[in-house]
Amino acid sequence: MGGLDLPQPLLTISQLSKTFESQVALRTVSMEIRAGEIYGLVGHNGSGKSTLIKVLAGYHKPDPGASIVVAGRELLQAGSSGGHRSSRMRFIHQDLGLIEGLSTAENLAIGGSGYCRGAAGRIRWRAQYQAARASLARFGLAVDVRRPVGELSPGERTVVAVARALSQSDERGTLLVLDEPTAALHPGEVEVLLTSVRRTAASGGAVLFVSHRLEEVLGVADRIGVLREGALVAEGAAADFTPERLVTLIAGREIAAMQPNPRQLRPDTLLAVRGLQGATLRCLDFDLHKGEILGIAGLLGSGREEVVNILFGAPPPLAGSIAVAGRTLKGISPRSVMAAGIALLPGDRARSLIGVLDVRENLTLPRLKGLWGRWRLDRNAERSEAREWVQRLDVRPPLLDRRVAQLSGGNQQKVALAKWLRTAPQVLLLDEPTRGVDVAAKAEIYRVLREAASGGTGIVMCSTEAKELATLCDRVLVLSGGVVTAELAGAAIDEPSIVAQTLR
């Protein structure tokens, strides 16, 4: 892209602002993305990234005075606040936009490559399934494309959404917008996705790549922009940035390095798991000690993605037993597990939050004991306790009455974690606890989890981020083919060792 003859912009944004009630989400943002370019956009949770994407998609109306031009066509003129849409833009949002009750093949067809039709317009299902398998094979994913997409793991659903968006993204003049596309992917899937992203740009399209994974942004982007508190505070060639500089720009201050977690473990066995079996898991055995953080690592399909859900009884295991503090549960179901003091933060945050309720209601709903007055709920006590947890996890904006669905994905994750920590569980099950969370918030979540462990809570944490496991965990179990193939502890826990063991 050097020289004086620069490609034409595929996207030009001028003076874009967006205000929700009294909260400013975007402040006069102006930027350009040119054909053949990958533009990395980074920022703190609540910095305005998701709002910017939703404005581009026509979901939000910006404040008057903005201008948006896509492929030379003006979608929004300065002074206008009308809706807009462009067929030149394709989106993968954090919620993926999949229809969980339809099959994987149908999701790929709807909004993607379309249906394979024969005479009289009838769908040729055999050809449809073959095309779906071929589309997913580009990303190394082999699943039954006739299954409802809601039965797939979060990582598998992400691959489906990516494959659908990229099925027609090789056209020149197309802008592909990716919002945290790699959050649920293992390293092999990430590299396949990034290869496709580069191919999209090389074919004459452009990519707006939004991610909290700074190494990925630095590795794939041509230019990078940093949003903070709704304003574009820095922009330039990717080569001009380092991870350390990006962290400082994102947070507005220097963040202390997140160091590994050497701690003296207590001998008490809090959770004993014996012979646990699921669709992929085969005879999982482990003990979790009081105050221990136990990590579960493994590639997609290793059984890692099943562990915490089966421990919670959703779905119940095909075989095996769970004992909490020496008492074996008679049945493994969400009700019996919760009664034993086990809480679950699932990888899909939508399963842990009620979007139509506000932040206060989501935080206090799991445990209302202690918040009742003589005859009814003490709203003042409820607001006081909710405010304490909002401040503790730095939920932004700190508005208790805002619907939780209106928060950014990372701040929804903080609310979901806070609601279960508030119940003071004996055992906390976590699946991708910092997915979609920026570096500053991640450091805060790590601090809160260490506090919970220091207080005696046992934590089982499944994560695709080897660095996260190495930073937080006292032990790490590596799964492959449904069985534990390695156990790392103490000084043996580091990022290279975890990666090496997962790839064996």
Side-chain angles (χ1 to χ4, degrees), residues 54-71:
K54 289 177 180 178
V55 168
L56 292 178
Y59 181 81
H60 287 323
K61 295 180 180 179
D63 297 346
S67 171
I68 300 175
V69 179
V70 178

Side-chain angles (χ1 to χ4, degrees), residues 347-416:
D348 182 359
R349 67 177 66 92
R351 292 172 53 198
S352 191
L353 297 171
I354 303 175
V356 296
L357 298 184
D358 61 32
V359 172
R360 168 184 52 82
E361 292 166 325
N362 272 278
L363 277 170
T364 58
L365 188 59
R367 190 183 68 181
L368 295 173
K369 184 179 179 180
L371 298 178
W372 289 97
R374 186 173 181 183
W375 302 109
R376 61 183 180 180
L377 195 65
D378 185 338
R379 294 296 182 186
N380 290 331
E382 184 189 28
R383 291 184 67 84
S384 177
E385 186 159 345
R387 186 177 296 109
E388 176 186 342
W389 281 98
V390 162
Q391 292 172 349
R392 188 171 174 183
L393 271 81
D394 192 25
V395 176
R396 300 188 184 190
L399 303 176
L400 300 181
D401 297 327
R402 171 161 288 192
R403 282 176 53 187
V404 77
Q406 294 177 329
L407 299 181
S408 68
N411 281 291
Q412 289 181 28
Q413 186 78 344
K414 292 190 226 177
V415 173

Side-chain angles (χ1 to χ4, degrees), residues 400-436:
L400 300 181
D401 297 327
R402 171 161 288 192
R403 282 176 53 187
V404 77
Q406 294 177 329
L407 299 181
S408 68
N411 281 291
Q412 289 181 28
Q413 186 78 344
K414 292 190 226 177
V415 173
L417 177 59
K419 70 178 284 187
W420 293 118
L421 284 175
R422 178 182 166 268
T423 66
Q426 287 199 77
V427 177
L428 180 60
L429 308 175
L430 304 173
D431 189 10
E432 303 291 357
T434 62
R435 175 181 294 163

Side-chain angles (χ1 to χ4, degrees), residues 470-481:
T471 300
L472 266 183
C473 296
D474 303 297
R475 280 190 300 143
V476 175
L477 303 181
V478 180
L479 296 181
S480 179

Side-chain angles (χ1 to χ4, degrees), residues 131-394:
R133 293 187 194 101
S135 180
L136 295 179
R138 294 170 57 198
F139 298 89
L141 182 62
V143 298
D144 183 352
V145 296
R146 297 168 297 181
R147 287 174 58 196
V149 78
E151 295 181 3
L152 302 183
S153 70
E156 291 169 334
R157 291 198 294 271
T158 301
V159 174
V160 172
V162 171
R164 182 178 65 179
L166 292 177
S167 64
Q168 293 182 330
S169 65
D170 54 351
E171 302 172 7
R172 293 182 61 84
T174 296
L175 176 69
L176 180 64
V177 182
L178 301 172
D179 187 5
E180 298 290 345
T182 64
L185 305 186
H186 66 65
E189 293 171 329
V190 169
E191 189 49 46
V192 172
L193 170 61
L194 296 185
T195 298
S196 298
V197 166
R198 295 183 185 103
R199 186 186 304 123
T200 299
S203 69
V207 180
L208 175 58
F209 188 89
V210 180
S211 178
H212 287 302
R213 296 185 174 181
L214 303 184
E215 295 85 356
E216 290 175 5
V217 175
L218 287 166
V220 76
D222 301 298
R223 285 193 302 132
I224 295 175
V226 181
L227 278 176
R228 188 172 71 239
E229 296 181 354
L232 192 66
V233 297
E235 187 182 49
D240 295 336
F241 294 94
T242 63
E244 294 75 20
R245 185 185 174 209
L246 284 178
V247 168
T248 300
L249 287 167
I250 289 168
R253 57 188 173 88
E254 291 190 3
I255 300 295
M258 290 179 279
Q259 299 297 332
N261 187 33
R263 296 185 301 118
Q264 189 68 37
L265 293 181
R266 307 179 195 186
D268 321 49
T269 297
L270 186 59
L271 177 70
V273 176
R274 297 290 182 268
L276 210 64
Q277 295 183 25
T280 303
L281 282 177
R282 297 156 43 203
C283 200
L284 177 64
D285 295 312
F286 69 83
D287 289 337
L288 176 72
H289 300 96
K290 194 170 184 179
E292 181 181 23
I293 302 179
L294 176 67
I296 308 291
L299 301 180
L300 190 64
S302 65
R304 166 193 51 80
E305 60 272 23
E306 286 187 328
V307 172
V308 294
N309 290 324
I310 287 180
L311 286 173
F312 196 68
L318 300 178
S321 65
I322 297 174
V324 180
R327 185 175 68 86
T328 301
L329 303 188
K330 292 184 178 179
I332 302 175
S333 67
R335 175 173 292 183
S336 65
V337 167
M338 290 179 69
I342 299 177
L344 167 67
L345 177 63
D348 182 359
R349 67 177 66 92
R351 292 172 53 198
S352 191
L353 297 171
I354 303 175
V356 296
L357 298 184
D358 61 32
V359 172
R360 168 184 52 82
E361 292 166 325
N362 272 278
L363 277 170
T364 58
L365 188 59
R367 190 183 68 181
L368 295 173
K369 184 179 179 180
L371 298 178
W372 289 97
R374 186 173 181 183
W375 302 109
R376 61 183 180 180
L377 195 65
D378 185 338
R379 294 296 182 186
N380 290 331
E382 184 189 28
R383 291 184 67 84
S384 177
E385 186 159 345
R387 186 177 296 109
E388 176 186 342
W389 281 98
V390 162
Q391 292 172 349
R392 188 171 174 183
L393 271 81
D394 192 25

